[in-house]
Amino acid sequence: MEGVYFVYCSWLLVIILLFFVNNSQKNIVLMHVLVALFLSQFPLVYEDIMINSAAVYLILITCGLIAECSLVERLQLYVISFILALVQGSYLLYVILEPLWFKWIPSWFIAFLTVYACSLLVSGHINRILSLVMGTVISDVLLFLVHQQNQLMYEFLQLAWLDRLSVVAIMYCLLGLIEIAGKYFFTNSRYIQKKEV
């Protein structure tokens, strides 16, 4: 059942954008989500490699947004994306090599590690999202190269990758909500303390 997380998260995002967001950018994001949903049905085949067209579309959008950044921001995003790719790729490689050691760890834990590392390294929501997407792309490329070197089969940028990206997006939203709640309670506690004094 690969691609289920991606479809559920995409439709949930469509509902949130349609009914709960009042922003000038919402129509652009909504269009990109619907196009990615449509393209996820079609694989692109080149010799023995099969790539999901929605993954290619998301990569092209991410590269276009990174190209609009300044040179310093671009270099920063490249370095941080590579660090996140090493975090995610090494964890997934250890899971493949030693599955019994990671049996007790939930599957979403790698998404938590990736998002937490990204929140420590990058400031700003757009830069965090761009580095998370590029980090998952680079980690999948690294895993594909390792599997190819050992002549093992690996689904490169397929629906499983879209599922991993969706879990990372869910974890990013949860950590963002925790951050907002923490700021709210912190400011309210300071206001109450000043009122008591």
Side-chain angles (χ1 to χ4, degrees), residues 38 74 105 146 171 178 193:
F38 176 73
R74 265 185 277 166
I105 299 175
V146 168
M171 196 59 62
I178 292 169
Q193 286 175 355

Side-chain angles (χ1 to χ4, degrees), residues 39-108:
L39 290 176
S40 64
Q41 308 171 55
F42 306 108
L44 300 172
V45 181
Y46 176 73
E47 294 182 359
D48 294 335
I49 302 170
M50 191 165 61
I51 300 173
N52 195 293
S53 53
V56 175
Y57 181 71
L58 290 174
I59 292 167
L60 290 174
I61 292 170
T62 307
C63 291
L65 291 173
I66 290 174
E68 293 177 1
C69 299
S70 64
L71 181 62
V72 176
E73 282 183 334
R74 265 185 277 166
L75 292 174
Q76 181 186 12
L77 284 172
Y78 294 149
V79 171
I80 291 169
S81 299
F82 191 71
I83 292 170
L84 295 177
L86 290 178
V87 168
Q88 201 172 37
S90 58
Y91 182 89
L92 293 172
L93 191 62
Y94 283 132
V95 168
I96 292 168
L97 294 175
E98 294 289 339
L100 292 176
W101 286 98
F102 292 90
K103 197 73 176 172
W104 56 276
I105 299 175
S107 59
W108 52 262

Side-chain angles (χ1 to χ4, degrees), residues 4-175:
V4 173
Y5 286 127
F6 173 70
V7 172
Y8 284 164
C9 292
S10 299
W11 282 115
L12 183 65
L13 184 60
V14 166
I15 291 168
I16 290 170
L17 286 172
L18 279 175
F19 299 109
F20 300 107
V21 175
N22 189 11
N23 193 348
S24 60
Q25 300 291 322
K26 90 170 186 179
N27 291 333
I28 297 170
V29 176
L30 188 63
M31 183 199 69
H32 288 313
V33 171
L34 290 174
V35 169
L37 260 173
F38 176 73
L39 290 176
S40 64
Q41 308 171 55
F42 306 108
L44 300 172
V45 181
Y46 176 73
E47 294 182 359
D48 294 335
I49 302 170
M50 191 165 61
I51 300 173
N52 195 293
S53 53
V56 175
Y57 181 71
L58 290 174
I59 292 167
L60 290 174
I61 292 170
T62 307
C63 291
L65 291 173
I66 290 174
E68 293 177 1
C69 299
S70 64
L71 181 62
V72 176
E73 282 183 334
R74 265 185 277 166
L75 292 174
Q76 181 186 12
L77 284 172
Y78 294 149
V79 171
I80 291 169
S81 299
F82 191 71
I83 292 170
L84 295 177
L86 290 178
V87 168
Q88 201 172 37
S90 58
Y91 182 89
L92 293 172
L93 191 62
Y94 283 132
V95 168
I96 292 168
L97 294 175
E98 294 289 339
L100 292 176
W101 286 98
F102 292 90
K103 197 73 176 172
W104 56 276
I105 299 175
S107 59
W108 52 262
F109 185 71
I110 181 57
F112 172 76
L113 278 180
T114 309
V115 171
Y116 184 69
C118 180
S119 63
L120 292 176
L121 294 170
V122 188
S123 62
H125 291 297
I126 293 176
N127 288 344
R128 284 180 183 172
I129 292 169
L130 292 176
S131 58
L132 282 170
V133 173
M134 287 310 293
T136 53
V137 170
I138 296 169
S139 72
D140 215 49
V141 170
L142 293 175
L143 285 171
F144 176 73
L145 292 175
V146 168
H147 280 77
Q148 283 291 104
Q149 189 177 10
N150 296 311
Q151 295 179 348
L152 298 170
M153 292 294 294
Y154 183 74
E155 292 186 348
F156 177 58
L157 296 177
Q158 284 291 325
L159 290 172
W161 178 80
L162 291 171
D163 282 344
R164 271 204 312 275
L165 188 64
S166 301
V167 173
V168 167
I170 291 170
M171 196 59 62
Y172 181 73
C173 292
L174 287 176
L175 284 179

